[in-house]
Amino acid sequence: MTDSTAKLEFRGQTHEFKVRAGTVGPDVIDIASLYATTGAFTYDPGFTSTASCESEITFIDGDAGILLHRGYPIDQLAEHGDFLEVCYLLLYGELPTKAQKDDFDHRVTRHTMVHEQMSRFFTGFRRDAHPMAVMCGVVGALSAFYHDSTDISDPHQRMVASIRLIAKMPTIAAMAYKYHIGQPFVYPKNELNFAANFLHMCFAVPCEEYKVNPVLARAMERIFILHADHEQNASTSTVRLAGSSGANPFACIAAGIACLWGPAHGGANEAALNMLSEIGHVDRIPEFVARAKDKNDPFRLMGFGHRVYKNYDPRAKIMQKTTHEVLGELGIKDDPMLDVAMELERIALTDEYFIEKKLYPNIDFYSGITLKALGFPTTMFTVLFALARTVGWIAQWKEMIEDPRQKIGRPRQLYTGAAERDYLPIAKR
Ligand code: SDX
């Protein structure tokens, strides 16, 4: 990586800052010394032009619609890999050998059960509580049950906590679903792979044998791979910032879940499906497209647009293919929701407004149709996103914690409030 410099003229002085180049992607101007040398801050609400860290995990080229995990294109990983293989790659930087994969699978599989007392934790929630609210509470409570892996200065405890989180998220997610629908919890089965075990815990009932459909299990694995990591998105940045204070990994992941819940982020998959069902029929699409373009209408096309992708989200293409695979396997010939989605995409991609603003379908546009076809209620969609993204959050947290330059994140501000003034007794106000 070659270095050069950038010059800043400020209040009659010239300041020079180092420019660093990455392996690929935009250069960065290192402004760490800016405040000390100029007395001024940079100002970038929403961090549209700010690199918050250096990372080797995931690279996105938004203009080209490229997503790499440790250099491997997402379409190759989704096509050929399984979810735990991608977890290993994100955590350790290389694809595992057979022996490494078998050992990793073994370690994760044997951490899938949760402390039996956690099942009583659920009974405190109303049955109709949103499963994401339950996930925020239960995952945050993990540090109360697994205190022996909360010392972040101990590499062994960091590894155990990472494996526990990856392994237990499907179990907790399935428990949140079963509690929501009033069915008994189903324990993990060690002979099933990651996605098949999750589907079994969600859809098996004690009264009869439940055989997981291998085509649907493969589709579930691929959906998890597509959601695994995505560089410094809002929830990952939340996890990094929480982790920078030394908070334990269970608390950091709970913070990531809370941030992911927002409809502008991971909550968009639930919002996108609700939007498609509100549109209901292709005849009503023009009405909603007009609302999305209307500056005075807060309505946005959920599942469209992205801070980084100004091209088609590569995950959306794979998700669309998976949607057709799942609907085909389930014999769902004409899903009105899919008809609306396909026609909405066609109209939006030819509409001047969307072309000019480079708004394309993102991963959340098709995922809802697929997850609904798999049998999940819309309230579970973001839970599945959180389940898959846990490995990305953990890998990014691990990278931050292991960086010797790591320090607590503490942004500054542009203060536009009142200047100093004296207290006025109430009688004089
Ligand atoms: C995820 O960051 C990640 O990597 C996230 C994610 C991940 O894997 O972690 O990829 C997952 O969160 C995907 C995004 C899911 N969210 C949605 O689908 C919600 C709908 N999309 C928008 O809310 C919006 O596109 C965002 C939040 C995704 C991006 O917003 P930005 O980058 O802040 O862009 P913006 O809001 O400034 O929009 C730019 C312009 C605006 O118009 P102008 O003010 O310039 O005239 O585009 C318009 C917006 O009004 N616009 C839309 C739109 N998205 C942006 N107009 C209509 N419909 C939309 N969906």
Side-chain angles (χ1 to χ4, degrees):
M1 291 174 242
T2 53
D3 292 344
S4 59
T5 61
K7 285 191 177 58
L8 172 70
E9 297 292 332
F10 182 69
R11 292 189 179 143
Q13 284 200 311
T14 303
H15 303 271
E16 229 173 71
F17 300 95
K18 187 183 276 191
V19 174
R20 293 186 57 201
T23 316
V24 283
D27 290 351
V28 297
I29 301 171
D30 184 339
I31 55 159
S33 62
L34 179 87
Y35 178 54
T37 52
T38 69
F41 300 137
T42 57
Y43 181 67
D44 182 17
F47 309 122
T48 49
S49 305
T50 295
S52 62
C53 64
E54 177 176 337
S55 180
E56 300 176 356
I57 300 172
T58 292
F59 174 73
I60 304 171
D61 180 333
D63 293 331
I66 289 170
L67 169 59
L68 307 177
H69 289 317
R70 303 284 190 176
Y72 295 98
I74 187 64
D75 51 315
Q76 294 182 27
L77 293 172
E79 189 63 35
H80 306 299
D82 72 32
F83 182 66
L84 287 184
E85 185 177 34
V86 173
C87 288
Y88 186 98
L89 174 68
L90 290 171
L91 287 168
Y92 303 113
E94 297 296 336
L95 287 169
T97 61
K98 173 91 175 61
Q100 289 166 334
K101 177 73 168 52
D102 292 346
D103 169 62
F104 188 71
D105 284 4
H106 178 84
R107 283 190 292 146
V108 171
T109 303
R110 270 143 196 80
H111 276 285
T112 49
M113 284 178 68
V114 293
H115 191 293
E116 193 59 15
Q117 271 178 236
M118 287 210 88
S119 51
R120 281 194 238 131
F121 200 83
F122 284 80
T123 53
F125 295 104
R126 288 171 39 148
R127 288 281 180 181
D128 62 353
H130 193 293
M132 278 299 277
V134 175
M135 292 300 286
C136 288
V138 175
V139 173
L142 283 173
S143 43
F145 288 86
Y146 298 103
H147 199 72
D148 62 338
S149 59
T150 53
D151 174 0
I152 59 153
S153 64
D154 176 351
H156 176 71
Q157 290 197 32
R158 291 202 301 265
M159 184 274 291
V160 171
S162 304
I163 296 287
R164 277 173 164 162
L165 278 157
I166 293 165
K168 296 180 193 310
M169 279 298 272
T171 309
I172 294 169
M175 291 170 83
Y177 173 57
K178 285 303 203 185
Y179 186 75
H180 192 55
I181 61 173
Q183 286 186 1
F185 297 140
V186 174
Y187 285 99
K189 285 170 79 92
N190 288 354
E191 74 265 23
L192 297 176
N193 74 17
F194 190 88
N197 185 33
F198 175 64
L199 291 175
H200 185 267
M201 289 189 287
C202 288
F203 299 121
V205 288
C207 5
E208 60 188 23
E209 188 63 23
Y210 178 82
K211 289 286 297 148
V212 178
N213 177 323
V215 173
L216 302 186
R218 180 68 202 135
M220 192 80 254
E221 285 273 335
R222 198 178 304 136
I223 291 169
F224 287 153
I225 291 171
L226 293 177
H227 287 82
D229 189 52
H230 213 236
E231 65 141 85
Q232 307 312 318
N233 58 84
S235 53
T236 299
S237 300
T238 300
V239 171
R240 276 181 173 260
L241 196 56
S244 75
S245 76
N248 74 69
F250 303 106
C252 295
I253 297 304
I257 293 171
C259 177
L260 186 76
W261 195 3
H265 191 13
N269 55 14
E270 177 179 353
L273 200 91
N274 291 336
M275 174 192 73
L276 292 174
S277 56
E278 188 188 353
I279 294 172
H281 193 276
V282 292
D283 297 346
R284 295 197 61 202
I285 291 175
E287 170 196 337
F288 283 84
V289 168
R291 284 187 57 195
K293 293 156 61 172
D294 178 357
K295 276 271 142 277
N296 303 314
D297 188 331
F299 172 78
R300 287 194 165 181
L301 285 187
M302 302 315 282
F304 262 81
H306 199 276
R307 170 64 55 77
V308 178
Y309 288 122
K310 301 310 172 192
N311 198 328
Y312 215 106
D313 181 337
R315 304 169 297 173
K317 279 194 189 120
I318 304 164
M319 181 59 75
Q320 190 190 54
K321 186 170 149 259
T322 306
T323 304
H324 287 293
E325 251 176 53
V326 166
L327 295 182
E329 175 65 17
L330 294 170
I332 301 173
K333 293 275 176 293
D334 45 354
D335 179 341
M337 215 87 83
L338 181 62
D339 297 342
V340 171
M342 303 278 287
E343 179 59 7
L344 177 56
E345 177 186 353
R346 189 192 64 75
I347 292 174
L349 294 185
T350 54
D351 183 289
E352 215 19 67
Y353 174 91
F354 293 88
I355 293 167
E356 185 249 324
K357 292 187 187 301
K358 298 185 178 177
L359 301 174
Y360 290 85
N362 59 50
I363 188 163
D364 295 311
F365 188 61
Y366 283 102
S367 55
I369 298 170
T370 319
L371 297 175
K372 177 175 174 285
L374 286 171
F376 295 103
T378 48
T379 48
M380 277 295 290
F381 291 1
T382 312
V383 171
L384 302 187
F385 195 149
L387 185 170
R389 186 53 58 88
T390 293
V391 63
W393 289 331
I394 283 291
Q396 301 270 351
W397 169 80
K398 177 177 180 291
E399 184 177 65
M400 180 222 23
I401 289 287
E402 290 172 354
D403 180 347
R405 299 161 300 178
Q406 186 267 325
K407 55 172 74 172
I408 188 167
R410 206 284 188 209
R412 301 305 301 272
Q413 62 177 10
L414 172 68
Y415 176 68
T416 53
E420 186 174 346
R421 51 183 170 166
D422 293 328
Y423 180 82
L424 214 56
I426 195 163
K428 293 190 174 167
R429 290 177 210 156

